Amino acid sequence: MTNCLHFFLLLFPLTFTLYPFTFKSNAAEFKEIQQRGYLLVAVKDNLPPLGFRDRQGKLRGLEIELAQKLAADLLGNPAAVKFIPVANRDRLNAVIEDKVDLALAQVTATDSRSRLVSFSPPYYMDGAAIIAKKATAESLNDVAKKTVAVLKGSSTIPTIKYLLPQVQLLGVDSYQQAHALLESGIAAAFTADASVLSGWVREYPQYEILPTLLSAEPLAVVMPKGLQYNSLRQQVNAAIARYTTAGWLRQRAEFWGLPVDKLRK
């Protein structure tokens, strides 16, 4: 009896430790969304060209347009959506904690995240890319032995080291610092997510993204888990599939200057 009690006491802390990973979202079911009359969508408002505010303060970008198109298909009105700007750290929690119905905020679908939320099919295939001044580099080989700036701690670091083992990486704390290094000639190129670099090119047209992506990372709509949300997930998943097949996603990605070589056709 003593041994059984001792085993239970050892097991109890482990059970408690695992418990936080089993919580459920309380996001609205599709019928409730229809009755409410609008979608609540978490977005970025500082990440061109996916989600950002223009000079008039209006939200624009690929993810903003996608949310509006989903509202048109699911609720019959592209304006039937309320946007909730979120920081990166809050993108998943906004869905899990019942603050929004969906998140469209540059979220990469991964196995670890899939334990907490559900993902739609990819609406854009993002990935690490390299940017350089025009006429200074045309391919990855042109920067293979040069100095390339990269954000400190970026997940891009092991990827570029593997693909370009002779490259000289120079860690930076911000995109502004990377820009200064490129302008001064200390760095020949800069590597980051292609979606982010697309915004860079729009702001600094003297730069261009080299044609080959270093990795492929699917961006997807974040939705709550649970059988009660099957209808919402089915509606969103079917819509994303239609937009992909019809070429709408590719067309809008091109409009916003995003590389589409890795985008599913």
Side-chain angles (χ1 to χ4, degrees), residues 79-107:
V81 53
K82 291 189 177 181
F83 296 110
I84 311 296
V86 294
N88 283 354
R89 64 180 178 274
D90 299 323
R91 293 174 297 178
L92 298 187
N93 286 338
V95 174
I96 294 169
E97 296 175 0
D98 191 22
K99 295 178 180 178
V100 297
D101 304 311
L102 312 169
L104 265 163
Q106 201 205 18
V107 180

Side-chain angles (χ1 to χ4, degrees), residues 20-51:
F21 294 93
T22 63
F23 59 78
K24 296 190 298 182
S25 166
N26 294 312
E29 299 178 35
F30 186 53
K31 286 185 179 179
E32 296 174 2
I33 294 171
Q34 289 177 308
Q35 292 171 354
R36 182 208 297 154
Y38 59 86
L39 285 168
L40 285 169
V41 183
V43 295
K44 298 293 294 179
D45 65 353
N46 59 354
L47 189 68
L50 295 179

